[in-house]
Amino acid sequence: MSGLLDLLNSDIGKQMISGLSNQTGQSESKTANVLSMGLPVLMGAMKKNASSNDGAQGLMSALSNKHDGSILNNLGGLFQNGVDDTVLSDGAGILNHVLGGKQSQVEQTIGAKSGVDSGSVSEILKVAAPILMGVLGQQKRANNVSDSNGISSLLGSMLGGQPQENQSLIMSLIDSDGDGSVLDDVADIVLGSGKKKGGLGSLIGGFFGK
C-alpha cells in the first residue's frame, strides 16, 4: 500500500501537481506544498469520521459507487480544458463533509504556510478531494475491503506511508486534545503552528527536492 507521499511522487501525483498548477496559476512547487499539507489533513479527518460505524458505512458506500476510482482513468483529460464544474462541485461537497466549519481555517492556515492565497488553496483541495477519494476507491477494490475495520485499516495504511517523523504527527492529529474534534488540532499539529512544534509544513521541501 502506497502512502500519501508515495502517491504525490507517483505518476498520478505528478499529473495532479502539474494540472492543478496550470488550473490555479500557482507554481508546481507551491502546488505540491499545498497538496503535501492538505491531503494528510483530509485523510486524517476521514479516518476520524470513519471511526464511527455510520461514518465508516457512509465512506464505504461512496467508495463503492461514485468514487470507485474511475476518475483516475483519464486525469490528463480532467485537466486538459480546465476542471469541469461538476468535479469542483463534488470536491466542495467532500470538503464540507470532511472539514465542516473548519474548512476556511484549514485553507487559510495551509495558504499561510505555503505562500498560496486561500482561494487557490480551496480550488486545489476541491479538485484533489475527488481524486483522493478515487485512489481510496481503487485501493478498496484492490484489497477487497468490505467492512468498517477494513476501511479504517486502509486509511491507516495510507497515513502510515508517511516518514516516521510525519507519521507520529499525523497520528497525533486524531483528537490530540481529547475534545472529540480532529480538526481543532489541524493547525497546531499537522501544519506546525501554534502550541505544537514542528509539523508537515517544515518538512515539505525535502519531499520534493525543492
Side-chain angles (χ1 to χ4, degrees):
M1 168 66 67
S2 296
L4 289 176
L5 296 182
D6 295 319
L7 171 63
L8 284 175
N9 283 302
S10 70
D11 288 341
I12 290 174
K14 290 172 183 176
Q15 282 186 292
M16 284 176 62
I17 292 167
S18 176
L20 285 167
S21 174
N22 291 331
Q23 175 85 7
T24 61
Q26 299 291 334
S27 69
E28 290 195 5
S29 175
K30 286 186 175 181
T31 301
N33 285 354
V34 170
L35 289 169
S36 297
M37 289 183 276
L39 292 184
V41 170
L42 295 179
M43 186 71 75
M46 286 180 193
K47 191 173 190 300
K48 176 67 175 180
N49 291 345
S51 64
S52 71
N53 187 60
D54 287 347
Q57 290 302 318
L59 181 58
M60 288 277 292
S61 176
L63 298 180
S64 297
N65 297 291
K66 188 173 186 179
H67 301 288
D68 60 357
S70 56
I71 192 173
L72 306 177
N73 295 336
N74 187 21
L75 283 183
L78 175 69
F79 293 113
Q80 190 168 18
N81 296 308
V83 177
D84 189 89
D85 286 344
T86 57
V87 175
L88 291 170
S89 178
D90 182 30
I94 295 169
L95 295 180
N96 181 63
H97 179 73
V98 172
L99 301 179
K102 298 292 184 179
Q103 182 176 341
S104 178
Q105 176 191 338
V106 169
E107 291 169 352
Q108 290 173 10
T109 306
I110 291 175
K113 297 292 289 185
S114 62
V116 175
D117 67 273
S118 58
S120 293
V121 171
S122 178
E123 188 166 10
I124 288 170
L125 295 182
K126 282 178 186 175
V127 179
I131 295 174
L132 180 61
M133 289 287 284
V135 171
L136 289 172
Q138 186 183 66
Q139 293 289 347
K140 172 186 174 294
R141 187 171 63 253
N143 290 277
N144 296 315
V145 174
S146 59
D147 57 30
S148 58
N149 288 334
I151 198 66
S152 181
S153 295
L154 176 63
L155 292 166
S157 295
M158 291 289 285
L159 285 170
Q162 307 287 321
Q164 190 61 43
E165 184 176 4
N166 284 359
Q167 186 174 343
S168 62
L169 289 166
I170 294 298
M171 293 311 294
S172 64
L173 185 155
I174 308 301
D175 191 25
S176 70
D177 59 7
D179 64 354
S181 173
V182 62
L183 295 169
D184 286 341
D185 307 311
V186 165
D188 285 339
I189 297 171
V190 179
L191 303 181
S193 61
K195 61 190 177 185
K196 304 290 184 183
K197 294 183 179 180
L200 285 175
S202 64
L203 301 171
I204 299 301
F207 298 164
F208 296 94
K210 304 295 184 185

